[in-house]
Amino acid sequence: MVRENLKEVEEHIQEACRASGRSRDEVTLIAVSKTKPVSMLMEAYDSGIRVFGENKVQELCDKYEEMPKDIQWHMIGHLQTNKVKYIVDKVAMIHSVDSVHLAEVIQKEAAKKQVTVPILIEVNVAEEESKFGITLSDALAMVTEIAGMPNVRIEGLMTIAPFVENPEENRKYFKALKQLAVDINAKNIDNVHVRTLSMGMTNDYMEAIEEGATMVRVGTGIFGERNYNI
């Protein structure tokens, strides 16, 4: 099943790239593997996937130990400060930095392990109360404050768009995040170059790509519905 699903997702990514005049190389597919067993992840791995996204620190750490070491692990879920120390030297990127305080903790733990951690600033573009992330209007100030931290590197922005029946409705949020990236880059802040836009999930990744996403986070579209009972 995973192999067939991946083929379909890949075709959709290529279609969205063609529609927006982009190269397929500009988009990274993150296989969101939360709650899924290692056997399913290995099926994706054997199909060529090397980038996986996890929501929970414990699950990421367990799978990190069990799976091949050429995998890039992305922390995409809300990150509690007391869990940062467990993943700073294991992840390729943290997508969900939503406060200066969290960035400070990442800086402290990264310095201890002598690593530099690429991060994305999580922006709650739609301002949904149920979601984490800062507002569009607060993003620039936060980026400026984090920019001076030597062991944290701001690579870009992330958003979780609302779950909607018609994915076209989310284009405005993707457009707004892309515009924020342009605005931040125009400020020429030292150590900040927003090159990554992590936006779009199973329901709306094609629209996100057409609006400039460089990373899409696809879980259900690859692994099927999630099991929340484990």
Side-chain angles (χ1 to χ4, degrees), residues 98-143:
D98 58 359
S99 71
V100 172
H101 176 56
L102 176 57
E104 287 169 343
V105 175
I106 295 170
Q107 163 58 37
K108 183 175 127 195
E109 297 298 337
K112 279 188 201 168
K113 301 223 169 137
Q114 298 183 313
V115 294
T116 299
V117 182
I119 67 164
L120 304 180
I121 303 301
E122 182 174 0
V123 185
N124 187 349
V125 181
E127 298 192 15
E128 290 183 281
E129 286 185 14
S130 61
K131 296 215 174 99
F132 293 100
I134 57 156
T135 62
L136 282 166
S137 55
D138 289 339
L140 182 58
M142 183 171 149
V143 166

Side-chain angles (χ1 to χ4, degrees), residues 30-31 33 38 41 50-54 59-76 87 90-95:
I30 300 174
S33 45
V38 166
L41 274 69
R50 294 294 180 272
V51 185
F52 289 86
E54 286 289 337
E59 202 173 343
L60 188 152
C61 290
D62 290 347
K63 289 172 177 173
Y64 176 90
E65 295 302 333
E66 284 190 62
M67 293 190 64
K69 289 297 174 269
D70 62 339
I71 288 172
Q72 283 188 24
W73 292 99
H74 289 240
M75 179 65 195
I76 62 174
I87 61 163
K90 294 180 175 69
V91 293
M93 187 173 281
I94 297 172
H95 288 231

Side-chain angles (χ1 to χ4, degrees), residues 23-36:
S23 162
R24 172 64 185 89
D25 298 342
E26 294 175 41
V27 181
T28 299
L29 170 61
I30 300 174
V32 178
S33 45
K34 57 187 178 184
T35 79
K36 296 302 179 185

